[in-house]
Amino acid sequence: MTTGDPGGAALSEAAKPLLLLVDGHSLAFRSFYAFAKGGEGGLSTKAGIPTSVTYGFLKALLENGKGLGPQGVVIAFDTAEPTFRHQADASYKAHRDEAPEQFFADLDNLQQILRQDLDIPLCMAPGYEADDVLGTLANRAANAGWRVRILSGDRDLFQLVDDERDIAVLYMGGGPYAKGSGPIQINREAVIARLGVPPEEVVDLKALTGDSSDNIPGVKGVGPKTAITLLKENGHLDGVYATLDKLTGPKDGQGAIKGSLKAKLLADRENAYRSRMLAEILVDIPLPAEPRLGLGMVNVEALAASLERLELHSLGRQAQNFAQLLSADAAGRDAGNGASSSQSGGASGDSTATAAQQQSGERAAEPAIGPAVEPASAATAWPERKPEPPALTPQLITTAPALAALVQRLEAATDPTAPIALDTETTALNPFEAELVGIGLCWGDGLGDLAYIPIAHQSSPQQPSAQQLDANRAGAAQLAIEPTQASEPSGEPPAAQLPLDLVLGALAPWL
């Protein structure tokens, strides 16, 4: 990657706009398999139109955008045509299965919404991969004075990280089901901590170790530990083989290059350099057209209509928030620090799973593709309203007998025209980072037709008192659940809260 910064040198770091580049297929596949493990099932409309990709992708785009407040967004996708890597090596990624048909149907709907409703440029280059598109856009944007953040779950992109030019990767690591696997900003120090080498040596590391996920062979018998040692001693792949070429006799050795390792490197020299070619991300490929880097103009009405057609009602209600975040003229955008005033509700806002949402295919649980940065403000795009709160009289469920009575009430509510609303209070918006704090339920119009189950409020984090545990044990017999054991007393006032396993065990059959 070039290191010059023409056009951006005169800009202070605070004044440089931020460009969010999205690895489209990485986020799309992540969204799909988060809801459809093994390629089966997933979200869909009542008519069977698949929506997992669209829902997960747009949700992640909105949540990450809120934290970043970008002044530009571009999304890169792969194309169906073979790339120059496939032409150079027929085995490259040849072992990968074709994605299911519903994935591509879902992707088509997503791309139409991105292009037409959100006015986000999609950038693709036949003959190249999305990684090469991202590398080229990152390089050119940095040269033009942008700060660059690349949202992806692909560690190959770590080779693009450049602290001096303010290019970082927002890494969605850990797999779609990993707890706490929301995007983490990866800079140079983080690359070294995770891979053992700096960004400029990532491609050399893969040249030596290979990559089974891409069918990149590497040097047979060389693992990450040996490869890292070789690169630390010799700087890069060329340095490794330059040192090897200096060794003459069969017993001659230097540093880590001795014994059987020397023979392995000699035998697989061609594979090492071919692997390096396959692993290297290009940063100056020809693009069919230079995409607009700055934000466009979201068509709120068209976006809302598209999301309602796909029965993604919770996203449809946030159409104005998409416009606030992704429109060039959105009010409240601070170009100096990249902050955005678009934020929707609190931690429980999108966790409500009403009966209507469940029937339409939406789920409260979401993939691990949440925000990389927590937003600094909770301001919302909606006008401020301060209605008088009603004098509600909720039932506070703090004992097992009360929980058993609540479950009986819930199970008796079988009228489909009077669904029960359930809301969770959590410690975070990302469901794979969040811990459950409490559960609220409502079953009627009356001021007392609601209940709240506190579980992990922090005003007093201790276990329930001995008296309450006795009540829990008595109630547990009604629920056929093993009661939670008390911890050692600490002298702090006990919290009147039920154990998590008791609550979930009681509610699970009804849910």
Side-chain angles (χ1 to χ4, degrees), residues 23 37 64 195 251 365 420:
D23 186 349
K37 189 174 182 180
N64 282 282
L195 300 184
K251 296 184 179 180
I420 294 174

Side-chain angles (χ1 to χ4, degrees), residues 128-204:
Y128 299 92
E129 295 182 48
D131 288 0
D132 302 311
V133 174
L134 293 168
T136 297
L137 292 175
N139 182 40
R140 295 178 186 177
N143 286 347
W146 291 78
R147 294 177 291 140
V148 179
R149 300 294 178 264
I150 306 171
L151 182 65
S152 177
D154 186 354
R155 295 198 303 178
D156 292 351
L157 291 165
F158 287 4
Q159 61 189 275
L160 300 178
V161 169
D162 190 332
D163 286 2
E164 292 184 4
R165 305 175 70 206
D166 207 347
I167 301 174
V169 171
L170 302 178
Y171 179 54
M172 304 180 292
Y177 301 99
K179 182 176 180 179
S181 61
I184 300 171
Q185 183 161 307
I186 301 295
N187 57 13
R188 181 183 181 85
E189 183 179 350
V191 174
I192 296 173
R194 286 173 174 264
L195 300 184
V197 296
E200 61 271 18
E201 293 177 16
V202 170
V203 67
D204 295 310

Side-chain angles (χ1 to χ4, degrees), residues 40 127 479:
E40 301 296 333
L479 300 170

Side-chain angles (χ1 to χ4, degrees), residues 353-417:
T354 64
Q357 286 174 320
Q358 292 169 348
Q359 290 171 2
S360 69
E362 290 191 55
R363 300 182 184 177
E366 296 170 13
I369 46 182
V373 184
E374 286 296 327
S377 145
T380 154
W382 304 102
E384 184 178 1
R385 294 181 295 177
K386 295 181 179 179
E388 286 296 322
L392 300 175
T393 56
Q395 303 173 30
L396 196 60
I397 308 299
T398 59
T399 66
L403 180 60
L406 174 64
V407 171
Q408 289 180 355
R409 179 187 291 271
L410 297 176
E411 291 176 341
T414 57
D415 184 357
T417 65

Side-chain angles (χ1 to χ4, degrees), residues 84-422:
F84 74 93
R85 294 180 180 88
H86 294 92
Q87 294 172 350
D89 187 336
S91 65
Y92 178 68
K93 294 186 178 181
H95 64 306
R96 293 192 177 183
D97 295 331
E98 183 75 10
E101 181 180 345
Q102 61 264 38
F103 171 83
F104 294 104
D106 203 347
L107 185 64
D108 287 343
N109 287 329
L110 169 67
Q111 291 182 341
Q112 181 175 338
I113 290 174
L114 293 172
R115 280 195 186 100
Q116 299 180 10
D117 301 341
L118 293 175
D119 195 19
I120 295 176
L122 308 186
C123 194
M124 292 160 272
Y128 299 92
E129 295 182 48
D131 288 0
D132 302 311
V133 174
L134 293 168
T136 297
L137 292 175
N139 182 40
R140 295 178 186 177
N143 286 347
W146 291 78
R147 294 177 291 140
V148 179
R149 300 294 178 264
I150 306 171
L151 182 65
S152 177
D154 186 354
R155 295 198 303 178
D156 292 351
L157 291 165
F158 287 4
Q159 61 189 275
L160 300 178
V161 169
D162 190 332
D163 286 2
E164 292 184 4
R165 305 175 70 206
D166 207 347
I167 301 174
V169 171
L170 302 178
Y171 179 54
M172 304 180 292
Y177 301 99
K179 182 176 180 179
S181 61
I184 300 171
Q185 183 161 307
I186 301 295
N187 57 13
R188 181 183 181 85
E189 183 179 350
V191 174
I192 296 173
R194 286 173 174 264
L195 300 184
V197 296
E200 61 271 18
E201 293 177 16
V202 170
V203 67
D204 295 310
L205 180 66
K206 292 194 70 172
L208 291 167
T209 64
D211 186 343
S212 59
S213 66
D214 290 341
N215 258 11
I216 296 177
V219 176
K220 187 176 181 180
V222 173
K225 185 176 180 180
T226 299
I228 291 169
T229 300
L230 287 170
L231 294 174
K232 283 182 178 179
E233 292 182 353
N234 302 281
H236 42 69
L237 186 66
D238 289 341
V240 171
Y241 278 100
T243 299
L244 187 64
D245 289 339
K246 294 176 184 177
L247 306 180
T248 55
K251 296 184 179 180
D252 192 9
Q254 181 174 328
I257 305 178
K258 58 184 65 173
S260 61
L261 177 58
K262 178 181 176 183
K264 293 174 183 176
L265 290 169
L266 284 171
D268 266 348
R269 182 194 296 255
E270 182 179 347
N271 270 345
Y273 278 96
R274 180 162 55 91
S275 298
R276 191 186 195 286
M277 180 275 295
L278 295 173
E280 184 178 14
I281 295 176
L282 304 184
V283 297
D284 193 20
I285 67 170
L287 299 176
E290 290 290 334
R292 182 195 74 238
L293 298 186
L295 296 175
M297 184 64 60
V298 174
N299 187 327
V300 177
E301 292 77 14
L303 174 62
S306 295
L307 295 173
E308 287 302 310
R309 186 182 71 253
L310 294 175
E311 298 174 12
L312 299 176
H313 306 300
S314 64
L315 287 180
R317 290 192 293 271
Q318 298 190 72
Q320 188 63 45
N321 287 345
F322 278 101
Q324 181 77 8
L325 179 69
L326 299 173
S327 292
D329 66 344
R333 179 173 299 280
D334 184 346
N337 59 24
S340 168
S341 64
S342 175
Q343 170 74 1
S344 61
S348 66
D350 275 334
S351 59
T352 302
T354 64
Q357 286 174 320
Q358 292 169 348
Q359 290 171 2
S360 69
E362 290 191 55
R363 300 182 184 177
E366 296 170 13
I369 46 182
V373 184
E374 286 296 327
S377 145
T380 154
W382 304 102
E384 184 178 1
R385 294 181 295 177
K386 295 181 179 179
E388 286 296 322
L392 300 175
T393 56
Q395 303 173 30
L396 196 60
I397 308 299
T398 59
T399 66
L403 180 60
L406 174 64
V407 171
Q408 289 180 355
R409 179 187 291 271
L410 297 176
E411 291 176 341
T414 57
D415 184 357
T417 65
I420 294 174
L422 182 147

Side-chain angles (χ1 to χ4, degrees), residues 18-92:
L18 187 142
L19 175 65
L20 175 61
L21 297 177
V22 181
D23 186 349
H25 267 88
S26 175
L27 184 52
F29 275 112
R30 193 177 185 86
S31 301
F32 178 75
Y33 286 107
F35 290 111
K37 189 174 182 180
E40 301 296 333
L43 303 183
S44 65
T45 67
K46 294 176 183 177
I49 300 173
T51 58
S52 295
V53 173
T54 302
Y55 178 70
F57 195 109
L58 293 180
K59 187 72 172 172
L61 181 63
L62 181 62
E63 290 182 345
N64 282 282
K66 287 174 184 175
L68 295 168
Q71 284 74 53
V73 178
V74 181
I75 302 174
F77 284 100
D78 293 322
T79 65
E81 295 83 359
T83 69
F84 74 93
R85 294 180 180 88
H86 294 92
Q87 294 172 350
D89 187 336
S91 65
Y92 178 68

